[in-house]
Amino acid sequence: LIVETLDTNTSGGVPTSLLVATSSFAVRITVGDDYGNATTTFNSTNQTDLLFTSNAGNSPNGTAPTVPASSVVTFANSVAVATGFNFPNVATGRTITATVANAGAGGNDASPVNGVTGTSAGATVQPGLLGDFVVEKNGGGAIGSVQANTPFLIQVTARDLFGNPMT
């Protein structure tokens, strides 16, 4: 299987290796030959069950990634799309692995076999929409007592909706 992350949460998205933490995205799964070349001959007459796993972690505020445990898809010309993914933690090298759990009935030699897997290329997740600002003492932490008319330093950090620092 060839697995690609798409830039939107629809089948009309284009492959991308750059994701945004606050945006959902879709995954395109393509049946390939033994050498990783895409085929165009598999059309499932029954739906195919795919299981998904990922190496994405929780965001700083504890939000877990959204990775459907399984998705029932229909392949047309060897391509299917699963939607509803979200990686809330800013990081690099995030992947999705798809595993065929129930291949359905393709009726030809290009049918994926149960247990066949494919893993996407590593994606970079960037911060999403501005969520809040954190005001702390210089270097981090709570601002303690300060004396009137005495200057002191602070640091302000912009964070996205999942608590990821924005750069």
Side-chain angles (χ1 to χ4, degrees), residues 18 26 30 34 40 46-47 56 59-60 63 67 78 80 82 91 100 103 111 119 137 154 160:
L18 188 60
T30 305
D34 291 341
T40 58
N46 292 326
Q47 295 177 324
S59 71
T63 302
V67 178
S78 297
V100 177
S111 301
T119 300
K137 70 179 180 180
I154 62 168
D160 72 8

Side-chain angles (χ1 to χ4, degrees), residues 27-125:
V27 172
R28 178 170 37 219
I29 305 96
T30 305
V31 176
D33 63 18
D34 291 341
Y35 304 101
N37 301 307
T39 66
T40 58
T41 57
F42 178 61
N43 294 295
S44 55
T45 54
N46 292 326
Q47 295 177 324
T48 302
D49 295 328
L50 297 174
L51 302 177
F52 293 101
T53 57
S54 172
N55 66 351
N58 291 356
S59 71
N61 73 2
T63 302
T66 304
V67 178
S70 65
S71 185
V72 178
V73 298
T74 300
F75 284 89
N77 297 320
S78 297
V79 177
V81 173
T83 60
F85 294 81
N86 184 284
F87 291 169
N89 190 39
V90 171
T92 58
R94 296 301 176 222
T95 61
I96 294 174
T97 298
T99 302
V100 177
N102 177 5
N108 59 45
D109 291 337
S111 301
V113 176
N114 290 349
V116 168
T117 65
T119 300
S120 68
T124 297
V125 183

Side-chain angles (χ1 to χ4, degrees), residues 5-17:
T5 55
L6 302 180
D7 65 348
T8 64
N9 196 29
T10 67
S11 60
V14 296
T16 185
S17 62

